[in-house]
Amino acid sequence: MSGTTGVSLLFVSFALATSSGRSADELPVDPASLLLWNEAVGLVTAHEAEIWPGYRLAEIPALVTHPKVGEILLRHPQPPAGFTKMDVAKEPAIPEALKSEPMWIRRGTTVFDIPQETSTNLGGTVTLVVTDRKALESADDAWCLGTVVHEGFHAWAGTRMKMAPSNEMDLSDFPDLDPEVNAHLELEGRALEAAVRADAADAADEAEEQLLLFLAERLRRRARMPANAIAWEDGNELNEGLATYVEWRAHDLWGKQGVGAPLAAALPKLADKKLFAERGEQILLKLRNLARGTFIVNGSEFGPATVRYRGYDFGAALGRALDRVAADWKREVARGATLTDLLRAALGAPADAELAERADAYEKEADYAALVLAKQGKAKDALAERERRIATVTAGQGTLVVIDFAALSKSGPVAPSSYTPFGILHVDDHRRMFFMVPVKFDFTGARLEMPESPGVIVDESARTLTTRVALAPQALIDAVTKSDGHAVAAAGLKIDAPHATATADGENAIRIALKGAR
């Protein structure tokens, strides 16, 4: 696969389908979405050892949700208030395959207002959350099916595996503008893809050689990276990579045996085994383009979304590679080992000098100097895009709003209480930018929500949050003053900070000072 390929992140790009015309008696979710969940649970239960030993998807409560319309809860030990037990046997819309499944329903209220595939604490219990297929503008049912396995693994692993820790905030420190980092990354990707594709028994030596080249290039790349970015990458490959690995395993099984009769009858396109057999190839092609820097996420080849997305496919491919060289790797991952460390151990713990010799030969054959030169051009484009993004706050349209929180938090790191890791950007040594979704902050005595666009810049040195709003400066000053900082909501900016004050701070700019308790 050559050229540029891409994806829009599903939790951002999927639009809500219309819910108009829905009768009061109609289920808030498509019954086929319930069958997707049921099929995934059945497959993982029957093939637990092949997918991941100990992974019991059947034990995880699940919420199938149509945002702002309603949701159905399954296998929850103590459904929260607002959910009503369904008389499933008398509900004609419930498929026969699910007539014995206890369910609770809630209409008009949902956990999330937009489609999200995740897990959440619901009524004190970690619960898998999947979006109703009809809430998605163009549902890919094979993707929806795999997502149940993927997100269910997150919910299961979060309480049953001790994975190596990482901090999502450290994503912003990944040196994705360094041409040499990106050159080594492309060579890593070439070697890892080749190793996974060499799956015939007589290709074992070739696979091991490619894995040694992968390891050699990874170590050279990481020598140019800060320790916290390395730890974040390891964690991302474990978290998202292993969830993608189990999803890949499930798709392999569906590609061989097909889906069950109830789901095939409800969604006939899923009866085609090729839909699932092709998923592994798609992962490897994405890996190739992510390594090259030619994969588009949310309209761009650059930035945090691309960096984070890479861990899904690199981590999954490393899992497939470890399947052939390290029989006990899954047990060690559950104890906190990283995929890179496990691979090095499985390859006989090669010395740094041996790996350096291999990397020298590999880079000579690949014309490393020319590759770095090409990456320099890409880095210029990436830097220009980053500066444009930052400028939407520092020099964009609308009123500049600087919120001073020094009275509430005098020092230390500042992390939002709600954000997406796909929208974090390094500005400089003491500033990060958050964007893509409304970003929330909780301080003692104050809660704030920043506009989704253009986002917000957090300055940990000056102790400020900076954003822009489409509202005249005086109108915002009046809103803050009139409410004394309580329940201010204007142009995407929400402030609940008693005794906050707002003053003009130059042309088309205001400064809001948050106050401590009196």
Side-chain angles (χ1 to χ4, degrees):
M1 185 174 184
S2 60
T4 300
T5 188
V7 66
S8 290
L9 295 177
L10 297 167
F11 76 93
V12 173
S13 64
F14 275 141
L16 287 174
T18 178
S19 60
S20 61
R22 187 182 293 269
S23 72
D25 294 331
E26 188 177 349
L27 292 181
V29 304
D30 184 352
S33 295
L34 302 175
L35 287 171
L36 288 167
W37 166 82
N38 186 62
E39 172 66 29
V41 169
L43 183 89
V44 174
T45 300
H47 299 278
E48 174 195 313
E50 296 166 77
I51 295 172
W52 192 282
Y55 174 29
R56 295 182 174 87
L57 181 57
E59 297 178 2
I60 301 167
L63 184 74
V64 182
T65 179
H66 190 130
K68 298 184 179 179
V69 175
E71 46 203 14
I72 290 179
L73 183 61
L74 304 108
R75 300 195 179 181
H76 198 287
Q78 209 165 15
F83 284 91
T84 302
K85 187 171 178 60
M86 297 175 64
D87 189 346
V88 177
K90 295 181 180 179
E91 175 54 65
I94 296 296
E96 284 298 322
L98 293 168
K99 288 292 189 181
S100 62
E101 189 71 50
M103 299 183 195
W104 294 262
I105 192 168
R106 178 164 67 174
R107 301 178 189 273
T109 301
T110 53
V111 171
F112 299 109
D113 290 339
I114 60 173
Q116 296 219 35
E117 321 304 322
T118 186
S119 57
T120 192
N121 188 312
L122 189 63
T125 302
V126 175
T127 302
L128 165 66
V129 180
V130 291
T131 303
D132 175 28
R133 60 186 297 277
K134 284 192 174 179
L136 306 176
E137 192 172 67
S138 54
D140 174 348
D141 288 319
W143 176 87
C144 291
L145 187 54
T147 294
V148 179
V149 179
H150 180 114
E151 296 299 336
F153 186 78
H154 282 313
W156 175 81
T159 58
R160 294 166 177 83
M161 294 174 66
K162 182 184 177 181
M163 290 201 204
S166 66
N167 184 346
E168 288 284 12
M169 301 287 285
D170 291 332
L171 163 58
S172 65
D173 293 330
F174 193 97
D176 57 319
L177 298 180
D178 184 330
E180 291 205 51
V181 164
N182 293 330
H184 290 303
L185 178 65
E186 179 165 339
L187 296 180
E188 274 182 56
R190 291 181 193 178
L192 182 56
E193 181 187 351
V196 175
R197 289 189 182 281
D199 56 2
D202 58 357
D205 290 344
E206 173 62 18
E208 184 169 319
E209 176 60 28
Q210 292 296 329
L211 289 174
L212 285 165
L213 293 175
F214 163 82
L215 186 60
E217 288 299 317
R218 169 157 287 202
L219 294 184
R220 283 204 166 167
R221 173 171 63 86
R222 288 185 166 186
R224 302 181 63 86
M225 292 172 55
N228 66 322
I230 294 171
W232 171 82
E233 182 177 59
D234 281 333
N236 190 41
E237 289 178 345
L238 288 167
N239 183 39
E240 297 296 355
L242 294 185
T244 303
Y245 166 89
V246 298
E247 181 182 355
W248 188 352
R249 280 289 179 202
H251 280 301
D252 281 351
L253 289 163
W254 279 311
K256 294 175 182 176
Q257 69 184 42
V259 301
L263 184 60
L267 299 172
K269 289 184 179 179
L270 292 185
D272 183 359
K273 296 178 184 179
K274 291 181 182 178
L275 285 176
F276 304 101
E278 294 169 351
R279 290 283 162 155
E281 177 67 14
Q282 291 168 5
I283 288 173
L284 291 175
L285 293 179
K286 282 192 295 177
L287 182 154
R288 183 187 305 176
N289 281 281
L290 284 160
R292 289 175 174 173
T294 53
F295 191 80
I296 296 174
V297 184
N298 291 339
S300 175
E301 297 176 350
F302 315 116
T306 304
V307 174
R308 192 176 192 275
Y309 207 92
R310 196 161 55 230
Y312 288 62
D313 300 310
F314 268 68
L318 277 168
R320 299 299 289 243
L322 284 165
D323 279 341
R324 64 185 305 157
V325 298
D328 202 34
W329 72 273
K330 291 174 182 175
R331 186 189 302 273
E332 295 305 313
V333 160
R335 293 172 176 169
T338 69
L339 298 180
T340 301
D341 287 346
L342 286 172
L343 180 63
R344 188 167 190 171
L347 295 174
D352 288 350
E354 177 190 344
L355 292 173
E357 183 178 341
R358 290 178 183 274
D360 286 342
Y362 186 33
E363 290 168 15
K364 182 178 180 180
E365 181 182 350
D367 196 353
Y368 178 76
L371 189 56
V372 171
L373 189 62
K375 300 301 181 184
Q376 287 173 347
K378 296 276 283 186
K380 289 180 182 178
D381 293 339
L383 179 59
E385 180 179 293
R386 177 170 299 195
E387 290 176 342
R388 287 193 297 271
R389 168 73 67 180
I390 294 168
T392 61
V393 172
T394 60
Q397 296 182 341
T399 297
L400 182 71
V401 181
V402 178
I403 301 174
D404 184 338
F405 59 83
L408 305 182
S409 173
K410 297 188 181 299
S411 63
V414 179
S417 58
S418 177
Y419 67 104
T420 171
F422 290 96
I424 308 177
L425 205 59
H426 177 92
V427 178
D428 55 34
D429 288 344
H430 54 89
R431 292 187 297 169
R432 288 188 178 96
M433 182 174 177
F434 298 86
F435 57 98
M436 195 180 289
V437 297
V439 180
K440 299 178 183 180
F441 296 85
D442 291 336
F443 298 102
T444 302
R447 290 186 175 185
L448 304 99
E449 182 176 313
M450 303 293 110
E452 175 180 337
S453 178
V456 59
I457 294 176
V458 180
D459 189 326
E460 293 183 345
S461 177
R463 315 307 284 175
T464 59
L465 309 175
T466 302
T467 188
R468 282 187 181 269
V469 297
L471 189 69
Q474 192 59 50
L476 186 51
I477 291 173
D478 290 345
V480 174
T481 302
K482 183 178 180 180
S483 69
D484 191 29
H486 289 279
V488 177
L493 176 65
K494 297 179 182 179
I495 300 173
D496 189 0
H499 317 306
T501 59
T503 56
D505 192 25
E507 186 177 359
N508 292 325
I510 73 166
R511 189 175 190 89
I512 299 174
L514 306 184
K515 304 293 184 180
R518 290 180 177 176

